[in-house]
Amino acid sequence: MNFSFQNFKHKKNTFYIGLLLIGLALFSCSSDDDTETPPPILEVNDCELYEPTPASGSINATWEMANERDVYANFITIPSDPGGGYVTVTLSQSATGLIPALFVDNDFDAGGTIIGGSAAQTNNVSNRVASFSVHPGASYSVEVYPFFNAADYPVDYTLEWEFFGRIDCFEQNDTQGQAKKILFDETIEAYAIAGFTDYFIASGDDKTYDWYKVELDEPSAIEVEVLDMPNDMRISMRLINTAGTLAGYDFDWLGAETSLNRGRLSKITSTSILNPGTYYIELHADFVESRKSNSDLDPIPEHFNTTYKIKAKKQQ
């Protein structure tokens, strides 16, 4: 056998170089084929979560004489939490025979009051307690005085208030321009609390509406159903297209008839297949029994502590 070390070394080097070239080629192919696919874009609604802001206040004061009226301007100041909430005000004293009176308004000079009256014929005639819905960032003034006078003066009293914030992550959405995006097939939960900015709240006030919008990506009918709600109001809905005009829809009550249809569930369904685009859901809370508890004889309105729930669906 004719063996040459130089030839063997040359062939060995050629073999290693060949393996190196093959490895580089495989690595190149692998890099091209294994390019990562970007994750799908996750569609989300317009819910903006926040922590409720605690707020309260108190003052200890004295009526020095009979019929003395004390006014505390802007005594109650509400945090700017978008969902608002309600306030409970308590006026307490312990003088025998004295029955206190309490008045609350955002502007006493405008006429009318949000809360008014004395503790006479209530469960506790020595104290006066009331609750009412409040608007984010609003301030309210308080007036207190002896409605029935005590036998002797001075008389000490305590005036207190506490804010109960209600988290509604879709507020502010009182107008079409403020409509918040929701997704199909998800349950939306929110409060229908309209806070006082005057001594009354008109049934057609913007604050009594909640607006939502859905993005339709394919031809489809749209159905929106009220799944749950407080029993002290009626909820009505309308479906509106991008141009701001009504889209044709059918309205159906669900469940047994109630007085003024308060607490009665319902749904709306478009009467035709709609083209892709943005569609608005106008939700109106009306026929509300009360937006306040004027004394301890009145219950706290149910909608202060109970949400409504709706769901939008595509219907082929």
Side-chain angles (χ1 to χ4, degrees):
M1 177 183 294
N2 185 14
F3 176 83
S4 168
F5 178 78
Q6 292 297 330
N7 288 339
F8 172 77
K9 183 178 181 182
H10 174 71
K11 291 178 181 179
K12 183 179 178 182
N13 291 339
T14 301
F15 174 74
Y16 286 148
I17 292 172
L19 288 177
L20 178 61
L21 292 174
I22 292 172
L24 289 173
L26 290 173
F27 176 78
S28 176
C29 292
S30 175
S31 298
D32 291 341
D33 294 341
D34 294 343
T35 302
E36 290 187 5
T37 303
I41 298 175
L42 182 63
E43 191 176 13
V44 296
N45 59 37
D46 282 344
C47 168
E48 295 184 13
L49 291 173
Y50 61 91
E51 290 293 326
T53 304
S56 61
S58 66
I59 187 169
N60 294 312
T62 302
W63 286 307
E64 299 290 347
M65 61 186 71
N67 303 316
E68 179 182 331
R69 290 175 177 259
D70 294 339
V71 176
Y72 300 96
N74 301 320
F75 177 62
I76 301 169
T77 299
I78 306 304
S80 59
D81 296 2
Y86 72 96
V87 158
T88 294
V89 188
T90 304
L91 171 61
S92 56
Q93 60 81 43
S94 58
T96 302
L98 190 151
I99 298 178
L102 169 73
F103 289 81
V104 180
D105 197 33
N106 64 319
D107 184 1
F108 284 126
D109 295 331
T113 57
I114 299 169
I115 297 295
S118 75
Q121 299 182 341
T122 64
N123 291 323
N124 184 346
V125 297
S126 294
N127 298 335
R128 179 78 169 87
V129 61
S131 301
F132 61 99
S133 58
V134 293
H135 191 72
S139 295
Y140 304 91
S141 298
V142 179
E143 180 180 15
V144 296
Y145 61 90
F147 181 72
F148 287 172
N149 282 298
D152 298 300
Y153 284 88
V155 171
D156 296 330
Y157 66 86
T158 300
L159 180 62
E160 303 171 282
W161 66 272
E162 184 176 3
F163 169 63
F164 298 91
R166 291 295 171 258
I167 299 175
D168 188 338
C169 67
F170 292 100
E171 288 287 355
Q172 298 283 325
N173 61 336
D174 299 340
T175 65
Q176 184 175 358
Q178 297 173 326
K180 298 301 174 65
K181 179 182 176 181
I182 62 175
L183 307 182
F184 288 107
D185 298 314
E186 71 171 351
T187 298
I188 300 301
E189 185 172 2
Y191 284 95
I193 294 179
F196 285 90
T197 54
D198 204 337
Y199 65 88
F200 71 98
I201 297 175
S203 62
D205 195 299
D206 284 350
K207 297 189 296 294
T208 66
Y209 289 84
D210 282 342
W211 284 80
Y212 303 96
K213 60 184 177 181
V214 290
E215 301 292 341
L216 194 60
D217 58 359
E218 60 182 345
S220 173
I222 294 176
E223 176 187 282
V224 187
E225 181 177 348
V226 179
L227 304 175
D228 197 10
M229 62 177 293
N231 291 311
D232 62 344
M233 63 172 56
R234 186 183 75 179
I235 286 181
S236 58
M237 296 184 294
R238 300 197 302 173
L239 186 63
I240 297 173
N241 60 30
T242 304
T245 58
L246 286 176
Y249 62 87
D250 290 327
F251 178 90
D252 295 296
W253 289 113
L254 306 175
E257 184 176 355
T258 62
S259 174
L260 298 176
N261 290 312
R262 289 181 177 135
R264 194 177 183 188
L265 306 181
S266 62
K267 70 176 181 178
I268 57 173
T269 308
S270 61
T271 54
S272 63
I273 300 298
L274 302 174
N275 293 323
T278 303
Y279 293 87
Y280 295 86
I281 301 160
E282 177 199 75
L283 186 147
H284 185 210
D286 58 4
F287 290 95
V288 178
E289 287 186 16
S290 181
R291 301 187 188 278
K292 59 187 176 183
S293 168
N294 198 56
S295 75
D296 60 11
L297 297 175
D298 302 328
I300 298 293
E302 183 179 342
H303 70 279
F304 283 11
N305 295 301
T306 303
T307 58
Y308 67 82
K309 297 176 183 177
I310 63 170
K311 180 183 288 189
K313 301 178 182 177
K314 298 178 185 177
Q315 296 287 352
Q316 298 299 331

